[in-house]
Each structure stands twice: as structure tokens, then as C-alpha cells.
Amino acid sequence: MDSPEPTPSSRVRRRWPLWVLAFLALVTLTRGLLVETFSVPSGSMQPTLSAGDRIVVWKPAADEVRRGDVIVFDGTGTFGPRRGASEPGGLAAVVRSVGDAFGFRSGQSDYVKRVIGVGGDRVRMDERGRVFVNGLALSEPYADTRAAGPAFDIQVPPGRLWVMGDHRGDSDDSRGHLGDPGGGTVRVDDVVGTVVGRYWPLNELGGVSSAAPREDPGADR
């Protein structure tokens, strides 16, 4: 007796595992070469980004970082603990890798900040939280400058970046590491990429544009 001809719905049910595997393979390949997804761990970038937001990072832009870019970088050895012998293996590593691909990144050394100064820039902040780059006071509509912390004045070394969170009163950034190696600056080589979009929550779905710091014509020097 001949077997019944498979219906379209039964063919779909049999093929969906292959589609899922193909999708996962595509995500993994694309993630490794062009994009990477992250979960924002804190409110240090508010109001631009909030804790729990899922963001997309464009990796080819890592070599062309500009002032105003929102970036993800590896703070290992600069801001955070060094990854090493405690890394999970076996099944735990596989689970973490899949989670990373969908934005549930578990690493403790990845940071999301805004680039304020690049190599050669002089960056300073006065006691009122106003930021100056190369003598020009900045207008920063993206930032919450309340409780910005103590004043500072630094020259950014070549090949490094000065980064700050948009929530100046609640951000572990370059200001808090002035006494560390590099004077709080981050190596350009440690940049993972530029944040280009947010895909969660859905009501905030869209791009995350860079906002180049602009001179504030009303500020005194």
C-alpha cells in the first residue's frame, strides 16, 4: 500500500528544525564577522540606553571611532577583571555562546560608553560638570550632567580614547580610573565596535545614532 502524499503542513513541521539550525548558523557567522549583540548591564548610559536594553554593535567600525560614538569595548585590564582560568568549559561554554549570540552576554569586562576624546585631545571637566575638549566647551544634550563628580584635566595619549557614560552621576568610566594604568583611557584596539541599534524593548526598537559633541556657544571658558 502506497504511503499518503505528505501535506504542505507536514512538510513545514519536518523542515522547521532545519530552518532553526540555518538561522543559528547565520547569526553565529554574522555575529563573528560583522555584528555582535549585547545586553546593557546598567543605567550608566541613560537617557540614551537603559539597563536591560539589547543593542547591536557594528564591528567594522571599531577601527574608525570618532568623538560622540557610543561604543562597546573590552575593559579587561583597564576597567574590569581579567578573564582567564575561571572561564567555563564544556556544555556551560556552549550555553553561554548561544546566549551571547542573542544578546545575553555574560562577560563582566564589556562596557558601553560614549567617546568624548580621541588620541591627542585635551579633555577637562570643571567643578560644574561642564566638559571641554581642546578648549571648547561642549553642548551635550544626550547627557545627564548632574552630580558629574570631581574636576579633571587630561591629555589623551595616541591610540587611546577617553570615554564617559551619559549618566554622569552613575557611570564607571574614564573619570574613575585616572590613577590606573593608561590614566583612565581605553585602547582603540580594545573597541569591539560602535552601537548602531537597539532591538529590545520593542517600543524602543531603532537606531542609536552617534552624537558628536558640539561647542556650547553660551559657555564661558
Side-chain angles (χ1 to χ4, degrees), residues 20-220:
V20 171
L21 290 175
F23 174 73
L24 289 174
L26 179 61
V27 167
T28 302
L29 177 61
T30 304
R31 173 180 176 269
L33 297 177
L34 299 177
V35 299
E36 192 158 358
T37 57
F38 292 82
S39 177
V40 178
S42 72
S44 69
M45 282 298 294
Q46 288 182 323
T48 305
L49 297 169
S50 299
D53 285 357
R54 305 282 157 70
I55 55 176
V56 179
V57 172
W58 182 244
K59 299 179 74 172
D63 296 330
E64 301 177 356
V65 176
R66 300 170 298 179
R67 298 186 198 95
D69 284 347
V70 178
I71 63 170
V72 169
F73 62 92
D74 179 6
T76 303
T78 303
F79 282 17
R82 188 171 294 278
R83 293 192 184 104
S86 61
E87 287 290 282
L91 181 60
V94 173
V95 171
R96 194 184 71 172
S97 178
V98 173
D100 287 354
F102 287 95
F104 297 94
R105 190 177 180 92
S106 57
Q108 299 299 309
S109 297
D110 298 311
Y111 290 76
V112 184
K113 304 296 176 188
R114 189 180 299 274
V115 177
I116 302 299
V118 298
D121 286 343
R122 180 187 175 190
V123 182
R124 70 180 181 90
M125 187 176 74
D126 65 17
E127 64 282 351
R128 293 166 56 187
R130 298 177 304 176
V131 177
F132 300 78
V133 175
N134 299 326
L136 301 178
L138 301 185
S139 171
E140 299 185 283
Y142 48 76
D144 179 347
T145 59
R146 294 170 294 178
F152 65 83
D153 190 337
I154 187 172
Q155 189 86 23
V156 183
R160 303 188 76 92
L161 306 168
W162 182 267
V163 298
M164 297 170 69
D166 287 354
H167 191 338
R168 299 288 159 78
D170 186 25
S171 176
D172 178 21
D173 53 38
S174 290
R175 296 168 298 160
H177 297 270
L178 284 164
D180 294 344
T185 60
V186 175
R187 297 192 315 156
V188 172
D189 290 345
D190 290 335
V191 175
V192 176
T194 300
V195 179
V196 294
R198 169 172 36 200
Y199 65 93
W200 187 267
L202 293 179
N203 64 327
E204 297 286 351
L205 179 69
V208 176
S209 61
S210 298
R214 302 188 305 272
E215 180 181 0
D216 183 354
D220 58 333

